Amino acid sequence: MTPEVLLKNRSGVLDTPGLGVETPGRLFHHTRGADADSTMKLHTKLLMSFGIIATVCAALGVIGLVSLGRAAATSKEIASHQLPSVRQLGDLRAAQVLVDSAEASLLNAALTAEQRNAEMARVARGWERAKTAMQTYESLPMDGPEKVLYETFTGKWNAWKSVHAELLTSIDKWTAAASASSPDAASMHAELMKFALTKRREIYFAARDALTAIVDLNEKSTAGLIAESESRQGAAKTAIIASAGFAMAIAIGLGVFMSRSIVGRIGTVATRAQAIAQADLSGGPLVIAGSDEVAQLAESVNTMSSNLKRLIASMSAVTSEVAASATQVSNSVEGISAGLAQQ
């Protein structure tokens, strides 16, 4: 065996010509492209994992946002339409009651002129309030059934308004006759009372019932919108909670998957590397499934272990050969020494 048995090549790796040691450049010299490819593989796995989590969270988040948007739209409709409608209808009903009560007071023969003027002022306030309420209500959007009810109501309201005007005219005539101590004043008052208790009350209740039908429709619609808004808010809350829970479950599942597919296999390779570092080459080749970086690392460790085994075997053979050569040299020297002694 020549002194060139153990030499180092230019890369610093032991080269043992003729000993069968595997030194593939693929394992000991990576090109820049190979590093980029290896990094991309792990990078892809991580991106896929977090991408799945992000996609699920985004999807559930969109569901939650859509539900919240619908709930907000419903709340806006309630605030901008339903509540103002109900408020104006309430004002209209209050105005009708105010006019009706003032009319009833005007039929009282015992009222003084001042009291009659106060009741007439109440009538005027009632009609002004009704006018404002109707104008505001008519400016708000109405659906089909509400329009039909409102048209019915306006017809009956106008009829009641005409009867009111007729009643006030009769009251003025009766008041004038009573002030003049006319003998017809008593019969005129009796006719007024009959008119007020029959035709006037009939028309008044017809208008009131039509108004009540509109109020009931709006209250029912408002209650439905409130229930819908609460339902959508609940759906949004459920979607948000489900998003958080589902994301946690997927994160845990992907963590376990990544741990088994990457960390667990790396641990296996690390254990074998530690054994080799402690001069334990008794283990068989590592079997790592796949073709990613972990599998390539396991292949490199297997190659290193195989090379070390061959190198140690070769070194043992070289040591035995050197010992045999030394024995031969020693025997030769002893022979020479014996021959010289005999001379």
Side-chain angles (χ1 to χ4, degrees):
M1 179 66 68
T2 65
E4 297 178 351
V5 171
L6 298 176
L7 297 176
K8 287 186 177 180
N9 60 20
R10 292 181 180 179
S11 63
V13 180
L14 289 176
D15 193 2
T16 55
L19 299 181
V21 179
E22 299 178 8
T23 57
R26 173 172 72 86
L27 298 176
F28 296 95
H29 179 67
H30 293 284
T31 64
R32 185 175 182 180
D35 287 338
D37 180 65
S38 298
T39 303
M40 180 59 69
K41 290 180 180 179
L42 285 176
H43 185 63
T44 301
K45 289 182 178 180
L46 293 174
L47 281 180
M48 287 180 62
S49 300
F50 290 108
I52 292 173
I53 296 176
T55 301
V56 172
C57 290
L60 293 175
V62 168
I63 295 174
L65 287 176
V66 170
S67 299
L68 286 175
R70 291 177 177 175
T74 304
S75 299
K76 183 178 179 180
E77 182 179 357
I78 293 172
S80 63
H81 173 208
Q82 295 301 131
L83 291 181
S85 295
V86 172
R87 186 181 302 115
Q88 299 309 317
L89 291 173
D91 286 346
L92 193 56
R93 175 181 283 176
Q96 187 182 26
V97 171
L98 178 61
V99 171
D100 180 68
S101 64
E103 287 177 349
S105 298
L106 288 172
L107 294 173
N108 186 0
L111 288 182
T112 64
E114 183 179 355
Q115 290 173 332
R116 288 187 180 280
N117 290 334
E119 293 302 325
M120 291 299 296
R122 288 180 62 203
V123 170
R125 288 198 304 271
W127 285 118
E128 184 64 28
R129 184 175 182 181
K131 180 181 178 181
T132 301
M134 291 184 72
Q135 288 177 345
T136 303
Y137 180 81
E138 289 172 356
S139 67
L140 298 171
M142 302 184 200
D143 56 17
E146 188 175 5
K147 287 182 179 180
V148 172
L149 288 178
Y150 188 72
E151 290 175 358
T152 302
F153 162 73
T154 53
K156 295 182 178 181
W157 178 270
N158 290 331
W160 176 63
K161 194 172 182 180
S162 298
V163 170
H164 165 76
E166 183 180 351
L167 178 66
L168 287 185
T169 300
S170 299
I171 289 175
D172 288 340
K173 292 180 179 180
W174 163 65
T175 303
S179 298
S181 300
S182 172
D184 296 331
S187 60
M188 292 175 65
H189 185 262
E191 289 294 328
L192 271 176
M193 292 301 296
K194 181 180 178 180
F195 178 80
L197 294 175
T198 55
K199 186 175 181 180
R200 170 183 167 274
R201 298 309 293 170
E202 179 183 350
I203 298 298
Y204 168 80
F205 284 121
R208 188 194 66 177
D209 293 343
L211 179 59
T212 300
I214 302 176
V215 172
D216 292 343
L217 178 65
N218 277 268
E219 289 179 348
K220 183 178 179 181
S221 178
T222 301
L225 288 173
I226 292 174
E228 181 181 354
S229 177
E230 291 176 349
S231 176
R232 287 175 175 175
Q233 290 175 6
K237 182 179 179 180
T238 301
I240 293 172
I241 295 175
S243 175
F246 198 57
M248 289 179 61
I250 290 181
I252 294 173
L254 288 175
V256 173
F257 170 76
M258 295 295 289
S259 175
R260 290 181 178 178
S261 64
I262 297 177
V263 179
R265 295 190 298 161
I266 289 177
T268 301
V269 176
T271 300
R272 178 57 56 83
Q274 290 175 357
I276 293 174
Q278 295 173 2
D280 181 5
L281 300 177
S282 61
L286 290 172
V287 179
I288 301 294
S291 60
D292 58 2
E293 295 85 346
V294 180
Q296 293 175 7
L297 179 61
E299 183 181 354
S300 298
V301 171
N302 287 337
T303 302
M304 179 181 67
S305 177
S306 177
N307 286 344
L308 286 174
K309 289 178 180 179
R310 291 191 182 95
L311 183 59
I312 292 173
S314 298
M315 292 293 292
S316 297
V318 170
T319 301
S320 299
E321 185 176 347
V322 170
S325 298
T327 300
Q328 292 176 1
V329 171
S330 178
N331 291 335
S332 298
V333 171
E334 289 179 358
I336 294 171
S337 297
L340 291 175
Q342 291 176 0
Q343 294 178 0

